[in-house]
Every structure is written in structure tokens, then in C-alpha cells.
Amino acid sequence: MELALLFLLLLACGLRAGADSSNHRYKEGDHVPLYANKVGPFHNPSETYRFYDLPFCTPEHVTEKKEALGEVLNGDRLVGAPYQLNFREEKQSTSVCKKTLSKEDVRKLRGVVAKDYYFQMYYDDLPLWGFLGKIEKDKVDSSESKYLLFKHIHFEVLYNDDRVIEINVQTDPSFAVDITEDKEVQVEFSYSVSWKKTDIPFEKRMEKYSKSSFLPHHLEIHWFSIINSCVTVLLLTGFLATILMRVLKNDFVKYSHDEENLEDQEESGWKYIHGDVFRFPKNKSLFSAIMGSGTQLLALTIFIFLLALVGVFYPYNRGALFTALVVIYALTSGIAGYTATSFYMQLEGTNWVRNLLLTGCLFCGPLFLTFCFLNTVAIIYSATAALPFGTILVIILIWALVTSPLLVLGGIAGKNSQTEFQAPCRTTKYPREIPDLPWYRSTIPQMAMAGFLPFSAIYIELYYIFASVWGHKIYTIYSILFIVFIILIIVTAFITVALTYFQLAAEDHEWWWRSVLCGGSTGIFIFFYCIYYYHARSDMSGFMQTSFFFGYMTCICYGFFLMLGTVGFRASLLFVRHIYHSIKCE
């Protein structure tokens, strides 16, 4: 635990260091770095392009900012902007360049305005955005529209003593050029800068970007979500505790009668399958690999939440989340190796090397294939989401030099752990026949019942997460999200335990795979929510954005399936061991 805390502390320091590379103090007239990042359609957050891909004023020597791994994964490509915003130097209509836009340029820019393209820049590590143009409806004929390209940008900068506190950008439609028709256009791009003093301290300059999450009506909705989830948990817990305790008490009384009395009765109930309930499942290797990958993803999620709660992922700490995901996933691969192999050996598996390879590929394999396809799409579109060869090489090296060795070390430790499977009852030589069961006791209806309750506990919070990841909203209430996550784990565990009991009571002893499928079914519900969100709650469009959304969300839902499936099985295993410990097994 101490090592884990030390690792988190070091990672937090490393992630924070990226934004504090300078002391952000300037004298009057000093150069303050202004970087242009990317441009793209407002409603397609994954479809972004380099700033100078559009026919703007391009400097003779474009300076590219060196970026960290997380920034590149986030699609950031920072280059020197064509504007000079020296500290406390005011400017009025300063010309950047005069440019003749060809017919092709005009056609391209008209498409840009039609798709609501925005630009993003960073000034002294503060983000700023603005639209590139607007469509103006004709006052006489509403079916006619004018396409206007903004040619003047006004920067308003707030400062406190020797530090930049805030920056806003304004575009004026009166300073715009009409690009409705396909013809050459002469444009002079210009900008102006004004400076204002403020009392906001430097330490609080990022609060502006997180305030949207703390608006009263937003907080009310978040707390309603938590109260709704807590009531669900309490009702479910109370219901299960009452029913299971009463039923189990009756079962224990019934099964503790004299053997002579029981011989006259027809055998029924969960006690009579004690010789089969701990019979190892089919496909042991795959089952163990799911346990290993699910445990690793659970550990990864908990570590990410700990970093979020200590304030590492503050708004626009560029790429911090992606860096943390890559590094922590690599470092937790040992957990997957150990868990999968030790459990595989408990199930009396023989080919532990194959099991270890399966564990390493179970989540990484589909993720890698998805990445290859999406990266190819991004390259075809010339989008910033396309990773450079150097970044791909770094990720491969991390996988080869960190992830794989730790996975193997964990596997060797698991193989040598020599722990036996703790079964309170002996398993019979031949499996007992499972009686015919009604349709609602089959796997798919049980999965639907198991996934619905956990999903209902998180669906309100899901909208805000989606609006942040696949939109331009900011999510900073990590404490509430962590509570919702804990509730999700508890509800998943309880509902899976309940369904496992009802399955055993019906004398169906094949509960191992069922508990994994029922626990992980929430991931399938989240995927259906993805489809709903895409069609009903977002304005995303185009092949690239659609493929990125469904590609990565499918991987995330698959990760949830593995993680919650592991939680469901572990909870069911504890429960089954407990109830069979409490009766006398022959």
C-alpha cells in the first residue's frame, strides 16, 4: 500500500510538472507564449485538424511545441500562432498579413463555416476558443444565406501584477468577408489586444473553467443522481438482506433436520447440489484471463480516481488523463498476470503460459485492433487524432519493456503461489442433471435483470461524462463520480449474489459463467446508452467522428464488462462459499 501511495505521489508530481514548466511571471513588453492548437467542427470533437491546414497567415518558420505523450494522444498539435501578445502591450487593428484567397480556398472556407468550425489556442497555458465565421440569414429571403469569414480577432487579457490571469477572444461580424460566391477574395487578417487589471489571484485562474460544473442547477442534478442511486442501493440491500436471510434461515433449519426425515423427502434446493456447485467451469483459461483483466481494470479505475481526487486532472491540464491511463495500465499489468495465473492454477489448469498470453491479449488485443483501424481513418482524414510514428513507437516500447515483463513476473508469482481452491464441499465424479427451467431463468433474461439496476444507478451521471468526453463541457466533480462508482460496484455485487442464489435454489449448478455474464451485463446497457446518446443527445456526424465514437466506446463498454463481471463473480464466490460452509456437506 505504501508503494502504491508513493507511486501515486510521484505520478501526480510528474503530471503537474507539464503545466508549470515556467513560473508564469512577466515584465512589461515580455514575450508571452501563444500557441495555436487545432481547428475542427464544433459538434465533432474527435475530428480536429492542424491550425495551418486552413489558408490562414502562415509564418515563414512555424515553431512546433514539444508535446508530452498524453498531449499527442489527446490530439493536441501546438504551433506558434501568428499573433504577438506581449505582456501589457495594447494593440489596435494590427495587420497579420494580406492574402488572396483562391476559388478553392473560398470553397474550403465556406465548408468550414457551414460546419461551425472553431479554433483553439493556448496563451500562457490558458485555453481560448473562437469561431472562424458564421452563417447570416438574408433578412428579405430567409432561404438565402451569407457565409461570413471573420478576419479580425480581439484579445482581451486580464492580469494581476506580473501574471496573466484570464484571456477572452472576440470576433466581430462587422469585420468579416463574404465568401458566399466562388470567386477570388482579397483579405487582410488583423487583430487587436486590450489589457485589464484584475484582483483574481494566480492560484485561482483555472477556477473559471471548472465553474460550469458547480452551477447550482448542475449540482442539484448531481445530488439527485446520488440520492437516487443511494435509495436504490438501500432498497436493494434491505430487500436482499431480508429475503436472503429469511430464506437462508429457513433453508438451514430445513437442511439441519435428521437424515432419517430427509430420506423420506424428495431432494430439492441448493443444498442438494453441493457435490456440483464447486465443479470447475468450462474454458478455465478464458475464465481466469477474465478474472485477471477485470481485476487490473478495477485497480486502474481506482488509481485514476485517487489521482482525480487529489486534483491532478484539473481543467485543461493537457493530456494528463491519457498519460495516467497509459502509465498506470502498464504498471498494473502485474496484477492481471498474478490474478489470472494463480486462479488458473487453483482451477487445476496445466498450460499457464497460454493462459498468461490470453490474459495479456484479452483487453489489449481488441483495443489495439480498434486503434489501428481508427488511426488509419484519422490518417486518411489528415486529422490530428492520427498518431505520429514516434508516439506509436513509444507506446510499443512501453508495452514491450514495462507491460509484458510485469505481466510475466506476475504470472510467475501466481504460478508459484501454490494456493489451493477453497471449496467447503467435495465435488462428485459425475455432474448432476440440471432440471428444465422456465425461460426467464435462462442466461439472457437474467443478464437483462442484472444489468438494469446498476445501470439505473449511474445513467444520470453518464450524460455529464459523455458531454465532457464527446463534447465541450467540463467535468470536475470527481468526488460525486467516485461515490457513483462505489454505488455501481455495490449494486453489481448484490444483484449478482441474489441471482446466483435463485439459480442455485433452482438446482442449476452452472453459476460460474452466469455470475460473470450477469455482473458484466451493465457494460452492454452502457453500450445501448451510447447508441441513444449518439442519435438523440448529440449532433455528431460524419464517418470519422462516428467510427471514433463507437470504436472507443465499444472498448470502454467491453472494459466495464470485464471489470464488473469480475466483481459479480467474486461476490458470488464469497456468498456460495459462505452458505455451503454453514451446512454439513457429506
Side-chain angles (χ1 to χ4, degrees), residues 11 15-16 70-71 74 304 307 312-314 316-326:
L11 187 60
L15 291 173
R16 282 178 171 275
E71 291 176 301
N74 195 36
I304 290 291
L307 287 174
V312 171
F313 306 128
Y314 58 84
Y316 304 105
N317 184 5
R318 291 191 304 275
L321 177 59
F322 287 100
T323 305
L325 283 170
V326 170

Side-chain angles (χ1 to χ4, degrees), residues 346-398:
Q346 285 179 40
L347 299 183
E348 298 173 3
T350 52
N351 197 340
W352 69 276
V353 176
R354 188 184 69 177
N355 171 250
L356 200 59
L357 288 171
L358 183 59
T359 305
C361 298
L362 193 66
F363 182 71
C364 270
L367 184 64
F368 177 72
L369 291 173
T370 305
F371 162 75
C372 288
F373 171 71
L374 295 179
N375 204 56
T376 305
V377 171
I379 289 168
I380 293 167
Y381 273 74
S382 300
T384 60
L387 295 189
F389 177 73
T391 305
I392 295 172
L393 196 64
V394 167
I395 292 171
I396 291 170
L397 285 172
I398 290 172

Side-chain angles (χ1 to χ4, degrees), residues 15 54 266 294 565:
L15 291 173
L54 295 179
E266 186 182 345

Side-chain angles (χ1 to χ4, degrees), residues 400-516:
L401 301 178
V402 181
T403 308
S404 299
L406 286 176
L407 183 75
V408 172
L409 287 172
I412 293 168
K415 176 184 173 289
N416 296 329
S417 60
Q418 300 294 327
T419 52
E420 291 185 4
F421 186 79
Q422 301 298 317
C425 304
R426 285 200 307 270
T427 301
T428 55
K429 190 173 182 181
Y430 300 105
R432 185 186 179 106
E433 189 178 348
I434 298 169
D436 291 331
L437 298 171
W439 66 269
Y440 58 83
R441 286 191 179 273
S442 60
T443 304
I444 292 174
Q446 295 284 296
M447 286 174 68
M449 283 191 274
F452 177 73
L453 268 171
F455 176 76
S456 68
I458 63 166
Y459 81 97
I460 295 175
E461 212 62 29
L462 270 183
Y463 169 74
Y464 291 97
I465 297 163
F466 274 58
S468 173
V469 176
W470 300 105
H472 301 280
K473 292 186 184 294
I474 299 160
Y475 194 99
T476 55
I477 317 175
Y478 299 114
S479 53
I480 288 180
L481 189 59
F482 186 59
I483 294 168
V484 171
F485 176 72
I486 297 297
I487 289 168
L488 172 66
I489 297 294
I490 293 168
V491 177
T492 302
F494 269 107
I495 195 69
T496 313
V497 164
L499 291 173
T500 300
Y501 170 76
F502 293 130
Q503 184 183 354
L504 296 177
E507 297 182 41
D508 181 354
H509 53 78
E510 294 181 346
W511 63 276
W512 296 67
W513 275 108
R514 180 75 66 83
S515 63
V516 171

Side-chain angles (χ1 to χ4, degrees), residues 92-152:
Q92 299 294 328
S93 294
T94 304
S95 177
V96 180
C97 75
K98 290 179 181 177
K99 193 173 180 72
T100 303
L101 298 176
S102 65
K103 287 182 182 179
E104 192 178 325
D105 290 340
V106 168
R107 202 176 298 119
K108 187 176 185 178
L109 288 168
R110 190 165 60 247
V112 161
V113 173
K115 290 181 180 177
D116 284 331
Y117 266 56
Y118 70 98
F119 64 83
Q120 186 191 40
M121 297 183 185
Y122 282 93
Y123 183 65
D124 193 40
D125 280 338
L126 291 172
L128 57 140
W129 307 264
F131 285 100
L132 297 175
K134 66 173 284 191
I135 300 174
E136 199 173 72
K137 297 282 185 187
D138 196 295
K139 292 176 183 177
V140 180
D141 186 359
S142 58
S143 63
E144 293 291 322
S145 299
K146 274 187 177 181
Y147 291 83
L148 301 176
L149 175 71
F150 299 137
K151 60 179 182 177
H152 181 83

Side-chain angles (χ1 to χ4, degrees), residues 2 39-40 63 97 166 235 241 282 295 355 396 442 499:
E2 288 176 0
V39 293
T63 56
C97 75
E166 189 179 318
L235 287 174
K282 297 172 184 175
T295 307
N355 171 250
I396 291 170
S442 60
L499 291 173

